[in-house]
């Protein structure tokens, strides 16, 4: 079946602009995660959605970052007023409820110029 | 907070050599432990896991044992192949009640030469 998909695969934006990154999880997966992979910080957790529960936003680095998940499926990560330090690969993962294995998408490479 | 420390790479080996990648962790309670692998040009994928002390995870000839006493989860493979060239990440997730968000180590790049 289809895996986790993310779009766009690459995004170049100017400093100060807003960007939206999209994640389509595997059908039926109720848990959805966003991570960021950067040279300086490695792989770090950003936010976690599980069903209808309030999301765990403990990893978001600043209030410029937000995410939503509509209808328990597709998720959008929004970064407002982008900064150069936001340049990274943003990874989305999904899993079944209470399952350990997370399935990762290919990522969106964000470059802020 | 939780943290994972793994040996820095790159690790360069010849085919059929023995591979060990050290991983230690700091966490409260009894986390679950994982090794993820990222092959060139591909996404992260789960290699193996262990969810309680003394469990051994294994897959594709790789093994790792959850050692609570030394807070370690070292990855080993007895005879590597060129196709094992990849970046390997050790990770943990908190006990079940806290959700399964992962804390990753810095990654270890492995290059296997023929």
């Amino acid at each position: 079946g289809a895996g986790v998909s993310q779009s766009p695969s690459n995004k170049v934006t100017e400093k100060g602009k807003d960007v939206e990154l999209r994640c389509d999880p595997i059908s039926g997966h109720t848990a959805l995660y966003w991570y960021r992979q950067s040279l300086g910080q490695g792989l770090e957790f950003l936010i976690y959605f599980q069903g209808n529960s309030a999301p765990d936003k403990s990893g978001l680095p600043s209030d410029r970052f937000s995410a939503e998940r509509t209808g328990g499926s597709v998720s959008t990560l929004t970064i407002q007023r982008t900064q150069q330090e936001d340049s990274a690969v943003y990874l989305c993962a999904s899993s079944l409820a209470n399952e350990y294995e997370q399935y990762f998408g290919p990522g969106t490479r964000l470059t802020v110029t | 907070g939780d943290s994972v420390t793994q040996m820095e790479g790159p690790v360069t080996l010849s085919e059929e050599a023995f591979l060990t990648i050290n991983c230690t962790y700091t966490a409260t309670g009894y986390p679950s432990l994982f090794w993820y692998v990222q092959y060139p040009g591909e996404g992260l994928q789960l290699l193996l896991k262990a969810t309680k002390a003394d469990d051994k995870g294994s897959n594709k000839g790789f093994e790792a044992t959850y050692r609570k006493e030394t807070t370690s989860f070292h990855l080993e493979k007895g005879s590597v192949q060129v196709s094992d060239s990849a970046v390997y990440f050790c990770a943990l997730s908190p006990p079940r009640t806290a959700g399964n968000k992962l804390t990753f180590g810095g990654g270890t790049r492995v290059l296997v030469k023929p």
Side-chain angles (χ1 to χ4, degrees):
Chain A
V4 177
S5 61
Q6 294 185 244
S7 61
S9 55
N10 280 285
K11 176 72 176 178
V12 180
T13 190
E14 292 180 352
K15 177 182 172 181
K17 296 287 180 71
D18 298 351
V19 295
E20 287 189 349
L21 312 180
R22 177 187 168 104
C23 172
D24 282 90
I26 293 173
S27 177
H29 282 192
T30 57
L32 187 147
Y33 306 80
W34 284 97
Y35 296 89
R36 178 168 71 173
Q37 187 173 21
S38 59
L39 281 177
Q41 302 297 323
L43 258 167
E44 51 182 345
F45 163 79
L46 296 177
I47 188 169
Y48 160 56
F49 297 89
Q50 172 57 59
N52 295 322
S53 302
D56 177 350
K57 304 179 182 180
S58 60
L60 294 179
S62 79
D63 58 8
R64 295 186 296 105
F65 288 72
S66 63
E68 63 177 18
R69 189 177 185 192
T70 53
S73 181
V74 171
S75 177
T76 301
L77 176 70
T78 301
I79 309 173
Q80 296 179 310
R81 305 181 303 281
T82 52
Q83 304 294 313
Q84 287 188 329
E85 61 262 28
D86 300 334
S87 295
V89 177
Y90 289 82
L91 297 172
C92 176
S94 70
S95 73
L96 292 168
N98 298 322
E99 281 291 328
Y100 291 106
E101 182 162 6
Q102 296 181 25
Y103 295 82
F104 283 80
T108 293
R109 181 174 297 277
L110 175 66
T111 303
V112 182
T113 61
Chain B
D2 296 346
S3 66
V4 177
T5 302
Q6 60 182 105
M7 59 191 290
E8 290 189 23
V11 174
T12 303
L13 302 165
S14 297
E15 218 168 12
E16 299 184 2
F18 184 86
L19 170 67
T20 299
I21 305 176
N22 290 338
C23 171
T24 57
Y25 67 90
T26 301
T28 53
Y30 292 85
S32 298
L33 301 173
F34 308 85
W35 278 100
Y36 276 80
V37 59
Q38 191 170 33
Y39 297 104
E42 299 185 18
L44 270 172
Q45 53 187 275
L46 179 65
L47 180 60
L48 53 84
K49 69 178 186 289
T51 59
K52 60 183 187 294
D54 300 324
D55 266 3
K56 177 185 284 188
S58 61
N59 187 25
K60 299 182 180 180
F62 289 88
E63 292 183 341
T65 301
Y66 188 141
R67 301 288 189 198
K68 181 66 178 175
E69 62 276 11
T70 55
T71 62
S72 65
F73 192 54
H74 305 321
L75 182 68
E76 297 181 336
K77 185 173 185 181
S79 177
V80 294
Q81 305 301 312
V82 172
S83 58
D84 294 323
S85 297
V87 181
Y88 294 82
F89 293 90
C90 186
L92 67 79
S93 68
R96 178 70 74 188
T97 53
N100 288 339
K101 59 184 180 182
L102 294 167
T103 298
F104 288 91
T108 302
R109 183 177 300 277
V110 173
L111 177 61
V112 181
K113 296 186 174 180

